[in-house]
Amino acid sequence: MQVSKLFKWVTVGFVLLLAMSAASAVLAAGPTGASPNDPLMVPTDSQTIAPNTTLWFYFDYALDGSSGGFFGRAPRPSSSTGSKINITIDANGNKNLQFGLFTPTQATDWLRDASTAPIGRGTPYTDTSNDLVIHDLYWSGAFNLSGRYFVAVTNNGASAIAFRMTVTGDAVTLYPVPTAVPSPTLNIPFSVTPVPTTTVQGKILFETATGGEIYAVNGDGSNLTRISRGIDPSWSADGKKITFARWDNSAPGVYIANADGSNEQIIFTAPRVRWPRFSPDGKYVVFAQDKTKDDRNIIWKLGLVEVATGKLTEPQCSQLCFTPSWAQDSTTIVYADPNVGIMQTSILGGPASLIMGPSGSYWDSAAGFARPILHMPQIQDAELSPDGKTIAYAQPAADRWEVSQVSIYGGVGAGVTTFDPVVYYLFNIAVHNVAPTWSPDGKQIMFLSDRNGKWEFFVTNPDGSNVRQVLKNVTDQVPVKFTYENERMLTWTSGTVTGK
């Protein structure tokens, strides 16, 4: 009998192992960039291309401007020709790099005939005022058709080349759903590491999508209440007010309202604003405003409105000042600049200072010496803890997103979430963890994860231990959409939701 049972379990285990191996073989192949059929995402950091090699990258282009783009730009009216895009490549002056831009039709033609010419090629971008080369390769233009476009980067040299590529524009989506930034479509045949379901204290404010419905709900999942609609909602420190942004054609700007959505009023009018946050003392609302003059130079600056008077001031900050959050002194503001890292500034004046930026070096084989790393994977949703000591943020880690934290005094970031090795290596499934926010007491971090096949809410201790799912009944009723455009999806405060 015992031998029979042992044989049975060995057989089941062997069959399961075969099934895992088959799944792994099917799922293991990731994009290589070898052709338009297997393109890579536009890299968020420095990329290395081997000698005598071509790598294909892709982005999506929407003629009507409905795609938000990586920087969350406002939609623009449709026209016969879409808005301009800019492509740059910087390779420390290396002359052996070139790129061609292919339309969807040209990419299809290239698959049949590799001699198909691109619609455009990168050329050096020179500042005419001083004849200095600003970008090693540059292309700018617009299209009259929506679709998936491709950038083919070629290294004609005998050594590997490190380069950084940027693609910007109102109509550009760098990480299109569902291809490049995977929609949650996990298909795991069994639960590898079950996560318990639990409840938390306090109340949660969340948006269903950028510009979508805004809901409030108690931490135990009770009293789910629609509050309003808008972008990047957040509580006041006492939980009695909310603030959010809108990009409506009729009345875009920064709004405040009571916690139940009543007494809504606009306190600052502007076409493209995001990430409003009340100061802890309730006197101010900080936000970021798109001040871009042309598509070559995207600029987002901080704005500060005094709630009682409507007076606007603009704290000093860098070029891209995203997702601001407050220290308890109601004067210090922490924000993320995707070109630089995490920074802080003060409403009392003075320049912004760096908290965490790129560090280390890489070997430039063409030049034959080490160069400093000047860029880091783009940081999203940086938020300062209630005690003002730690910043939680989301950041790409290879082919997935993870939540990390760093001290307010700087240093190297430490991971909060991490991948499941069985799911990641055996089934080649990259789970994404994004949009972190702190609990009112700073002892937990809530975030979004697609580990169960759709975006849902989870909490963890700041050291990454004790991960639990929360508000499952809410996400079973209300779908949540996250598109990696710096959405500040949720905030957490004490108290309870009582409804209107």
Side-chain angles (χ1 to χ4, degrees):
M1 184 69 176
Q2 305 240 345
V3 173
S4 175
K5 284 185 178 180
L6 178 62
F7 178 77
K8 176 182 177 181
W9 283 111
V10 168
T11 302
V12 170
F14 180 69
V15 171
L16 185 57
L17 182 60
L18 286 177
M20 292 179 184
S21 299
S24 180
V26 171
L27 297 172
T32 64
S35 77
N37 276 345
D38 194 27
L40 298 165
M41 292 186 293
V42 174
T44 59
D45 202 357
S46 180
Q47 180 93 0
T48 300
I49 183 171
N52 301 307
T53 298
T54 295
L55 291 178
W56 288 77
F57 301 88
Y58 72 98
F59 62 90
D60 280 3
Y61 182 86
L63 182 61
D64 62 0
S66 60
S67 167
F70 187 79
F71 295 108
R73 301 294 303 280
R76 291 187 176 177
S78 61
S79 62
S80 59
T81 300
S83 61
K84 185 182 291 185
I85 67 170
N86 298 289
I87 303 172
T88 66
I89 286 185
D90 296 298
N92 297 309
N94 197 298
K95 305 298 184 183
N96 291 320
L97 215 58
Q98 65 181 39
F99 77 76
L101 177 64
F102 290 78
T103 67
T105 300
Q106 288 172 322
T108 301
D109 292 342
W110 185 92
L111 290 169
R112 294 191 295 264
D113 179 5
S115 66
T116 300
I119 192 173
R121 299 184 186 275
T123 58
Y125 182 80
T126 303
D127 186 337
T128 55
S129 65
N130 53 25
D131 291 330
L132 294 178
V133 175
I134 305 302
H135 297 293
D136 294 320
L137 296 172
Y138 173 79
W139 185 91
S140 180
F143 302 110
N144 57 11
L145 289 174
S146 299
R148 177 149 296 177
Y149 288 75
F150 301 86
V151 182
V153 181
T154 301
N155 178 5
N156 293 314
S159 301
I161 299 175
F163 69 95
R164 179 174 174 80
M165 177 166 62
T166 64
V167 180
T168 59
D170 284 340
V172 170
T173 301
L174 294 185
Y175 309 112
V177 177
T179 305
V181 176
S183 287
T185 53
L186 307 187
N187 185 21
I188 304 172
F190 60 92
S191 183
V192 180
T193 54
V195 174
T197 301
T198 188
T199 63
V200 293
Q201 298 294 317
K203 55 184 180 179
I204 313 302
L205 187 72
F206 70 94
E207 63 179 10
T208 57
T210 299
E213 303 298 309
I214 298 174
Y215 285 88
V217 65
N218 292 323
D220 62 3
S222 65
N223 208 0
L224 177 66
T225 305
R226 182 194 176 278
I227 300 297
S228 188
R229 59 180 177 82
I231 305 171
D232 306 316
S234 65
W235 298 110
S236 61
D238 59 9
K240 296 180 179 180
K241 298 277 188 180
I242 64 171
T243 182
F244 53 89
R246 283 193 187 138
W247 285 8
D248 295 347
N249 290 331
S250 58
V254 177
Y255 286 75
I256 62 173
N258 294 334
D260 63 359
S262 63
N263 194 29
E264 178 182 294
Q265 55 185 302
I266 189 168
I267 62 170
F268 178 74
T269 301
R272 290 183 293 276
V273 293
R274 290 197 63 179
W275 313 296
R277 280 287 175 102
F278 277 104
S279 59
D281 61 13
K283 293 182 179 179
Y284 305 99
V285 172
V286 68
F287 56 90
Q289 180 182 6
D290 185 358
K291 291 200 164 187
T292 302
K293 302 298 183 184
D294 59 71
D295 290 332
R296 291 187 183 183
N297 193 28
I298 296 174
I299 300 172
W300 282 76
K301 290 292 187 179
L302 296 180
L304 187 75
V305 170
E306 188 174 14
V307 176
T309 66
K311 179 183 177 182
L312 174 69
T313 56
E314 296 183 314
Q316 293 188 43
C317 69
S318 52
Q319 181 169 328
L320 299 174
C321 311
F322 292 177
T323 60
S325 62
W326 291 90
Q328 287 300 314
D329 60 8
S330 292
T331 60
T332 303
I333 297 170
V334 170
Y335 68 92
D337 184 326
N339 287 342
V340 180
I342 298 177
M343 306 189 73
Q344 67 177 352
T345 189
S346 173
I347 69 173
L348 301 178
S353 60
L354 184 66
I355 295 174
M356 183 182 74
S359 61
S361 60
Y362 69 94
W363 182 255
D364 186 337
S365 55
F369 56 83
R371 295 183 183 273
I373 295 174
L374 301 178
H375 303 279
M376 61 191 305
Q378 301 213 21
I379 289 171
Q380 292 195 10
D381 295 312
E383 181 177 296
L384 187 60
S385 61
D387 64 7
K389 295 180 179 179
T390 310
I391 302 161
Y393 59 93
Q395 190 176 39
D399 55 352
R400 64 188 191 279
W401 282 73
E402 300 288 3
V403 174
S404 298
Q405 61 172 314
V406 67
S407 167
I408 187 65
Y409 302 109
V412 179
V416 175
T417 61
T418 188
F419 64 94
D420 185 313
V422 175
V423 172
Y424 186 73
Y425 291 117
L426 187 59
F427 295 99
N428 196 38
I429 294 174
V431 170
H432 304 279
N433 302 297
V434 296
T437 192
W438 292 91
S439 62
D441 61 7
K443 294 181 179 180
Q444 298 178 85
I445 296 173
M446 187 175 293
F447 60 97
L448 285 178
S449 179
D450 64 359
R451 65 190 63 197
N452 292 331
K454 63 180 181 179
W455 290 116
E456 296 175 306
F457 300 103
F458 292 80
V459 295
T460 180
N461 296 339
D463 64 1
S465 63
N466 197 20
V467 178
R468 293 148 292 150
Q469 185 174 1
V470 294
L471 305 177
K472 185 178 186 303
N473 67 307
V474 173
T475 48
D476 284 346
Q477 299 175 59
V478 180
V480 175
K481 180 182 179 181
F482 183 83
T483 57
Y484 302 84
E485 296 198 8
N486 281 276
E487 299 103 311
R488 188 162 258 167
M489 298 292 295
L490 63 152
T491 56
W492 189 353
T493 191
S494 56
T496 57
V497 177
T498 56
K500 294 185 179 180

